[in-house]
Every structure is written in C-alpha cells, then in structure tokens.
Amino acid sequence: MEGQVPKKRGRKPKPKEDKDQQQPPQGKMKEAKRGQHAASVDEKYTQWKSLVPVLYDWLANHNLVWPSLSCRWGPQLEQATYKNRQRLYLSEQARSRSFTDGSVPNTLVIANCEVVKPRVAAAEHISQFNEEARSPFVKKYKTIIHPGEVNRIRELPQNSRIVATHTDGPDVLIWDVETQPNRHAVLGASNSRPDLILTGHQDNAEFALAMCPTEPFVLSGGKDKSVVLWSIQDHITSSASDPAGGKSPGSGGGSIIKRDANDKAVDGPTVGPRGIYQGHDDTVEDVAFSPSSAQEFCSVGDDSCLILWDARVGTSPVIKVEKAQNADLHSVDWSPHDSNFILTGSADNSVCMFDRRSLTSNGVGSHVHKFEGHKAAVLCVQWCPDKSSVFGSSAEDGILNIWDYEQIGKETDAKAAGAPAGLFFQHAGHRDKVVDFHWNTHDPWTIVSVSDDCETSGGGGTLQIWRMSDLLYRPEEELLEELQNFKTHVSKCTAKN
C-alpha cells in the first residue's frame, strides 16, 4: 500500500530523542518503563561481566561511535605464536539526529584484528575492559565512503577480499576492498566508486544478501518480493577463485575486478541478473545458497514463508513452506555440514530447524525442532563451522544464544535447571539488540558480534570478539583425560620437592 510505513525489524530504530518528541502524552510512562528496562539490562550485564573469567577463553570489547548493522571476518593475514592477524569488515551508519542531511557519510570499514589464540589470555585480564573505549585488538585499516547505508556485508568465499554490500536502494554493490583507496569520512566527502553494481531489483533491497560457497554467484532479496541471482564470474580475474595462487591481501597485486587499459571495469560497472525468482507475497528478508550447489538456494520473508529454489528448473518455487513460523522471518541459513538442514529465525522470538526431505510444497511447514530461548525477535541465525550440530542465534533482546540440537532429549544439568532445550551457551555481553554475528572459519569457536546501542545509549554500537572456554564444548572424556594428566604432572612435581 502506498504510504504504508515499512517494517523496521528492530534494526534501524529512530533516534531516542525523536521517539520522545513523538509521544508526549505517555512520555512519563515511557520514561519509567525505559528506566526499569535499563536497570534490568545493567543488572544482567554486571552479572555477566563478573562471570567472564570463568566462561570465556578470550574476549575483546570495542566501542563504536556510530551504529553498525553488519560485521564479517575477512582473510587471515598472518599467524604468530600467540595470536593471528585477520581482516574484519564492519559498517558505520552516520544517522544521528544531528546529521540527517547526509553530510556525514556512511562507511564500510576494513579493520585489522589481532585474534588471540586459545589458552593464551589471562582470565583476570579479559574482563577488565572499559565499555566506552576502543579495543587495542581492533585497528582501522581502511575506510570506504559508501553510497547510502551499509545494511549488510557479505564476502566472496572463493576470495574474501571481494565484498558485496546492501544499502537503502535496489542495487547490490561489489567492492575489491584491497584496491579501493583509503578515504577520510569528513563532512561532504564524495562516495567511493564500487567496482561493480548489480542491478535487477525494482524496489529497495536492504538485508537479504548471500555469496555462493562454490561459485562466484551473488543472491539478493528485496521489497519487490523477488529473489535475484547474479554471476560475477565474467567480471573477475582467475585469482579470485584461486586465492592460494595470488598475493596476500595486503601486498597489492592489482584489482581482482577485470579492467581495461583505461582502468575502467570490463563491460562497464553494471551487471544484469542471471535470473529473477518470484514467489513471495511480501518483502524478502534473507537468502542463502545450498552448500553444495550454486543452482539451489532458499529465501525467507515477511510473508512467513520459507521457499526453496532451483535455477535449473525455472524461476518458480520448488518448495514453498507456508507459515514456516508464526511471524515475519528475518534470517535463514543452510547447513554447510548437511545439505538437508535449514535454520530460520523469526519475529516470533524463536528459531526453527527444517529437514528439506520432509518439506511439502504449498503446505504448512513442519519443523524438526523449534528453539525457544529469546525474549524478542530473532535477527540472525548461523551454523557453526566447527561442529555440525551447533548454531548461533542473535536477537533484539541483546542475547546471542549458542545451541546444539544433539542435546535435545538428553538429560543435562542445564535442562534440570529449566534452560530451553538445546541451549548450551548464552553470550550476554551486549546491552542492546545484536544485529549481526559471524563465526570465524580460521579460528575455531571464535565469534564477532555487533549490537546497535541506540535504545540504551542513544547512539553508537558495540563490537565484541569472543571465544567461550573449551571446557564447555570439548568431549567429557577428553577433559577428564586432560585433568588426569594434570594431576599426574602435579604429583610428580610434588614428589620432586
């Protein structure tokens, strides 16, 4: 409907002061409720911080001046004895009340991150951080002035120096982040020039974005209710699909995007779609490729539908699961370990796991498991690359939950204490909605997560890089053997003295 207010999914709230001005009659009640909520959040946060030395192997807290809606790991640059150096991508949204005229640019930030190796950080040190300070482990390396907001970042698995971004417009932008010039985000700065622009959407496409794990394909969804597929194979050099044969990310080596003698992108900077797929009845909120085929993918949307597609058989849905959950679907992820399992996250506060072998077309979906542990809309779900049964989910309640579906049905201490089925870890280090997170494929069990702190602090955000203690996820027999070896070692040392 024309004039209808678009759904925000809790990702881009209006500035705190604007809300207060819009609701003067209930201002005092709102303030009281907000104060109670803030007190509750602070109390839980204080409790969490006291447990950091026990629950975590390592944690870094990095304060962001501007809110960020996306964070992703890039390529690993260097390995050392006690830590590894790795690229990190994140967005900066210049959308405070003072700069609504667009004079302060939105940016795509490329940072270098020092990732401390397991069992190196001292327990008493990792909890001694200042929430208002920047972490010494995160250093800004380069800034790209982005045309419009940076709502979603996705890296090309074949070479993670190629990055796709979604903005508040219909196009998908492709960047070779290593050859893009470093810019200064000053008032009135002109936009950086994308290496490629992918066209095909008829309306804004803001969040649904994926890059294929097997081929240089890009997938997107938007407010036009469509899913659009592109191939950028013909626009990149062979080094993009063979990073081992190319130079390291920081060594130069020329642009991956093909260019002519005049330094213009070959065939022009615009790339048309390979296919446009229609089947949703509302905004497409997220998309994901099959881990084994560039021709198979899935999508979810505000119509509560989960749709499976196969580009080899046409542009209509192969399977359309009606009412996959009880509200808008915000996120979807296809298991990299088992191509039968798909996760969805919803505004109904839950995560559902589907087995595509049991899905029926044009019917109501029957999930294998439903995971209920959040108190607000789920914004992001992602499978763990290190264990096939584990995945994470983040939500507007400020919590990032780690689940293990193999624990469902087993008698555990957590279950006896009333914890939700399958839940085995809660990261409660954020004090506002956790809008994005990403598992690190180079450093097992290491996660980067980001929260938009506009509700609690009136602006800015928090980036956290963390790894839970391995005592929580290693097999019990392995831990007992290590404990026994430690006891034996202590006994020998005591005998010598």
Side-chain angles (χ1 to χ4, degrees), residues 347-394:
D348 68 2
N349 308 351
S350 71
V351 177
C352 281
M353 175 177 159
F354 294 90
D355 186 334
R356 69 169 178 171
R357 292 167 296 189
S358 63
L359 297 179
T360 58
S361 190
N362 300 319
V364 175
S366 177
H367 49 259
V368 178
H369 297 298
K370 187 173 185 177
F371 302 87
E372 299 178 289
H374 287 290
K375 296 180 180 178
V378 176
L379 298 177
C380 185
V381 294
Q382 191 189 10
W383 290 96
C384 173
D386 307 301
K387 186 178 179 182
S388 61
S389 59
V390 172
F391 63 91
S393 64
S394 67

Side-chain angles (χ1 to χ4, degrees), residues 26 48 136 161 163 172-173 188 244 249 276 283 288 313 360 362 393 401 487 491:
Q26 294 137 346
W48 166 81
R161 62 184 271 182
V163 167
V172 176
L173 308 181
I276 299 178
T283 299
V313 299
T360 58
N362 300 319
S393 64
N401 285 332
K487 283 179 62 179
S491 297

Side-chain angles (χ1 to χ4, degrees), residues 64-68 91-96 99 104-105 107 451 459-462:
L64 300 170
V65 176
W66 300 105
S68 177
S91 65
E92 286 185 330
Q93 312 289 98
R95 53 179 171 82
S96 77
F99 299 106
V104 175
T107 58
S451 59
T462 302

Side-chain angles (χ1 to χ4, degrees), residues 10 21-22 67-68 78 110 125 127 246 311 320 336 358 383 423 484:
Q21 289 179 1
Q22 288 174 4
S68 177
E78 181 184 355
I110 295 89
H125 290 162
S127 63
K320 182 174 182 178
S358 63
W383 290 96
L423 179 65
Q484 185 58 49

Side-chain angles (χ1 to χ4, degrees), residues 174-190:
I174 303 294
W175 310 86
D176 181 344
V177 297
E178 296 302 328
T179 59
Q180 282 285 332
N182 185 25
R183 302 286 304 282
H184 296 288
V186 295
L187 288 171
S190 60

Side-chain angles (χ1 to χ4, degrees), residues 169-366:
D171 298 333
V172 176
L173 308 181
I174 303 294
W175 310 86
D176 181 344
V177 297
E178 296 302 328
T179 59
Q180 282 285 332
N182 185 25
R183 302 286 304 282
H184 296 288
V186 295
L187 288 171
S190 60
N191 292 329
S192 298
R193 176 179 179 266
D195 290 282
L196 294 173
I197 300 174
L198 310 186
T199 62
H201 280 293
Q202 303 304 310
D203 200 346
N204 288 357
E206 298 181 346
F207 291 103
L209 184 64
M211 308 254 311
C212 179
T214 57
E215 296 185 46
F217 284 10
V218 183
L219 194 64
S220 169
K223 293 183 178 179
D224 57 2
K225 309 173 188 177
S226 65
V227 174
V228 183
L229 176 68
W230 296 269
S231 170
I232 58 173
Q233 177 72 59
D234 296 335
H235 301 271
I236 56 177
T237 65
S238 58
S239 62
S241 56
D242 184 21
K247 297 185 178 182
S248 64
S251 65
S255 175
I256 282 177
I257 307 296
K258 287 183 178 178
R259 297 179 181 277
D260 61 18
N262 297 319
D263 196 36
K264 292 182 179 179
V266 173
D267 299 326
T270 301
V271 180
R274 183 185 180 96
I276 299 178
Y277 304 85
Q278 304 284 351
H280 282 283
D281 299 319
D282 207 333
T283 299
V284 180
E285 294 282 9
D286 202 12
V287 290
F289 278 99
S290 163
S292 56
S293 172
Q295 307 298 328
E296 295 181 81
F297 41 92
C298 61
S299 58
V300 295
D302 288 344
D303 55 4
S304 304
C305 291
L306 165 65
I307 298 182
L308 275 61
W309 313 84
D310 190 332
R312 294 164 296 193
V313 299
T315 58
S316 297
V318 173
I319 296 177
K320 182 174 182 178
V321 183
E322 305 278 359
K323 206 169 179 59
Q325 291 185 244
N326 295 322
D328 300 356
L329 299 184
H330 291 163
S331 184
V332 65
D333 197 29
W334 205 317
S335 172
H337 310 283
D338 188 333
S339 59
N340 291 309
F341 292 148
I342 297 172
L343 293 172
T344 61
S346 172
D348 68 2
N349 308 351
S350 71
V351 177
C352 281
M353 175 177 159
F354 294 90
D355 186 334
R356 69 169 178 171
R357 292 167 296 189
S358 63
L359 297 179
T360 58
S361 190
N362 300 319
V364 175
S366 177

